[in-house]
Amino acid sequence: MLPKAEAAYFAIADISGYTNFLAAVELDHAQDIIADFMDVVVKGLRPPFRLAKFEGDAAFVYSTGTIDGSLLQDAIEGAYFKFRRRLRDIRQASTCECKACVAMGDLDFKFVIHHGEMVKQKMGGREELAGRDVILVHRLLKNSVGEKLGGRAYALYSDAAIRAMGVDPVAQGLIPHQETIDIIGDVTLWARDLEAAWQQDDAQTRMEVTRDDAYAILEFDIAAPRQTVWEFITVPGQWRKWWDADDIVEESGKGRRGVGTKNHCAHGNHTNVEETLDWRPVDYFTVGITLPVPGAPRIIMTRAVLDGPDGTSRFELRIAKPKPKDRAFLDGAAAKFAERMTQAMAGLRSMVEGGQPGVDAMEEPALGQSSGRFLTEPVRSGARG
C-alpha cells in the first residue's frame, strides 16, 4: 500500500555560525554548548511541533493538522527567546575562559517554516518524511534574507505557510522576500526579524501578579501538557468550547495575539472586556477585566500555566490586590467567578485529558485536583483549595 499524503507544517531551526564555531574552538566543550542550545530550542517548539530528526546543525520538526496562526508564531519566537535567555544566563554565570565559552556569543538561530504535503516512509529502519515540500523547506535554508537583515536572526515563512495560518503578513509587519529555487521556481516568502522581536520582548515591562502578591488564587491540576492547556485558555475558538460564554470576540489589531489584545466575552446582554497587559507564552498572561457593572473597579488577573509532574500542568488564576474601597466588590465577584470556573474546568479537563493514556477524562476529581476554592491571604502559604 502506498503511503498516504498528509498536510503539514514544516520548520527547520538552524544554528547560525555553527561551522566557524566548531573550527575555532575545543570540540568536546563546543558540542556540549551546541547540544544544550539545540535542546532548549526543540523543547520550545514542542508542541505544536514534533521532532522529525536532527540534521547536524539543525533540527527538522513538523506538525500535522490545523494550528492557530498566532499560536504557531508564538512557538517559533518563544523558542528563539528561550535560546537568547539561555545564552545570556550562561554567559553571566560562567567564569570559563576557554575558546568555546568566549565564542558562543557568535552563535544564533534562524528558522524556516513552510506548509505543504508529505508522506511518511520507512528508510533504514526509521520513519522519514518525504515529498516536494519537504525538499523545498530544506532548500529555503540557503537564502539571501540574512543579507537583507544584516546577518540578524530571522524566521522565514513561505507564503503557503502564511496562507495556511490565515494571517495578514503586511499588517503584522513581516518583510516580503523572494527566492528562486532550482526546478521549483520562484517562491514568495515573509521574514520576521527575530533580533528586533527579542529586543522588544526583553524590554517589555512585566506585569505578572505573582503568588506572593496575589489577593486571591484559584488553581487546578490538569492531566495534559502545558502547551495544550495554553491553547485552550487563549485561542478564542478553543476557549469557547469549555467556558460559559455566548461568544468570545478577539480584537487583536494586527491579527497577532499579545499586549493590547482585547477579548469581548458576551454573556446574554452583558459583555466583559479583557485587555491583555502582559503576554509571555506559554508561561502566563495578565489581563485587565472591565465588568459591565456601574462603578465596578478594573480587575487585574494573571493566568499562569506551570509544569506539573509527569507531563501534567497547573493552571493558576491570580487576582491582584484591590484598593481598600474595592475589596467588598472584589470578594463578591471572586466568589462567583470561582464557582463558574470550577464548573467550567470539568469541561476543559474532559477535552484535554481524553487523549492521555491511562487517564479517564470523565473521572472527577483526578490527580488531587483543586475544588476551585480561592486561596486568600490567610491561607496563601502553600495551601491548596
Side-chain angles (χ1 to χ4, degrees):
M1 183 179 293
L2 294 175
K4 182 180 179 181
E6 298 179 72
Y9 288 94
F10 309 102
I12 299 177
D14 182 73
I15 301 179
S16 303
Y18 176 83
T19 301
N20 291 338
F21 180 71
L22 289 188
V25 304
E26 303 86 352
L27 184 59
D28 54 348
H29 201 172
Q31 287 292 2
D32 288 342
I33 292 172
I34 294 293
D36 182 74
F37 289 157
M38 188 64 78
D39 183 61
V40 167
V41 168
V42 170
K43 285 181 178 178
L45 291 170
R46 291 190 306 215
F49 293 100
R50 68 186 69 177
L51 180 66
K53 61 179 177 178
F54 288 107
E55 300 175 335
D57 58 345
F60 178 34
V61 299
Y62 72 102
S63 179
T64 56
T66 302
I67 306 176
D68 175 79
S70 186
L71 200 68
L72 188 148
Q73 292 178 81
D74 281 345
I76 297 294
E77 293 177 26
Y80 181 69
F81 296 163
K82 285 180 172 62
F83 155 69
R84 290 297 296 264
R85 293 189 186 100
R86 179 63 174 163
L87 175 62
R88 181 172 61 191
D89 291 346
I90 291 176
R91 296 182 70 178
Q92 289 177 346
S94 177
T95 57
C96 180
E97 297 182 358
C98 73
K99 293 180 179 179
C101 286
V102 171
M104 66 181 173
D106 296 331
L107 296 172
D108 214 336
F109 270 87
K110 60 184 178 183
F111 299 80
V112 177
I113 305 94
H114 177 52
H115 185 271
E117 288 191 332
M118 67 167 187
V119 294
K120 296 177 181 178
Q121 57 188 27
K122 291 288 185 179
M123 296 179 64
R126 60 167 295 159
E127 186 176 74
E128 296 282 349
L129 309 186
R132 176 185 182 277
D133 292 302
V134 174
I135 295 172
L136 175 57
V137 72
H138 283 84
R139 296 292 297 275
L140 287 173
L141 277 173
K142 302 297 182 181
N143 59 65
S144 58
V145 178
E147 299 171 12
K148 182 178 289 187
L149 297 179
R152 294 151 70 97
Y154 61 82
L156 184 64
Y157 297 90
S158 71
D159 195 60
I162 291 293
R163 285 186 278 108
M165 290 190 293
V167 302
D168 184 340
V170 176
Q172 292 193 13
L174 299 184
I175 302 165
H177 187 69
Q178 194 87 11
E179 291 285 341
T180 300
I181 307 297
D182 292 344
I183 303 176
I184 294 173
D186 292 338
V187 181
T188 300
L189 302 157
W190 300 90
R192 170 81 70 191
D193 184 337
L194 290 182
E195 175 64 29
W198 158 248
Q199 295 295 341
Q200 181 179 357
D201 181 83
D202 193 45
Q204 193 174 83
T205 302
R206 289 184 176 268
M207 291 187 64
E208 179 184 9
V209 181
T210 66
R211 288 185 66 90
D212 288 341
D213 294 333
Y215 172 67
I217 302 169
L218 184 63
E219 58 183 18
F220 299 91
D221 292 337
I222 305 174
R226 185 155 56 103
Q227 291 87 342
T228 300
V229 176
W230 179 268
E231 178 181 352
F232 272 80
I233 66 173
T234 60
V235 178
Q238 301 287 60
W239 189 3
R240 282 187 60 190
K241 293 177 181 179
W242 62 275
W243 183 238
D244 177 25
D246 298 326
D247 196 11
I248 299 174
V249 178
E250 182 181 85
E251 179 188 329
S252 51
K254 297 180 179 180
R256 180 79 185 274
R257 218 164 284 123
V259 174
T261 294
K262 291 183 179 179
N263 286 306
H264 300 261
C265 194
H267 305 270
N269 296 326
H270 305 288
T271 299
N272 300 342
V273 180
E274 296 189 0
E275 181 180 1
T276 303
L277 307 176
D278 193 5
W279 181 254
R280 306 288 173 172
V282 292
D283 299 323
Y284 75 86
F285 65 105
T286 300
V287 296
I289 304 172
T290 302
L291 301 176
V293 178
R298 195 183 198 201
I299 299 172
I300 306 300
M301 177 190 295
T302 288
R303 295 170 184 155
V305 188
L306 297 82
D307 286 325
D310 301 323
T312 64
S313 304
R314 167 73 60 79
F315 179 31
E316 295 185 354
L317 302 100
R318 312 170 191 147
I319 296 179
K321 295 176 182 177
K323 296 178 180 178
K325 67 181 181 65
D326 297 325
R327 181 178 288 245
F329 179 91
L330 189 60
D331 284 344
K336 293 178 182 178
F337 177 74
E339 182 179 355
R340 290 183 59 207
M341 179 59 71
T342 301
Q343 293 173 350
M345 285 304 299
L348 175 59
R349 285 175 176 140
S350 69
M351 293 174 193
V352 300
E353 295 178 352
Q356 298 290 317
V359 176
D360 182 354
M362 303 306 295
E363 183 179 352
E364 286 287 344
L367 296 174
Q369 293 159 340
S370 166
S371 65
R373 180 171 61 85
F374 266 103
L375 312 182
T376 51
E377 287 180 302
V379 293
R380 200 177 55 217
S381 57
R384 296 185 52 231

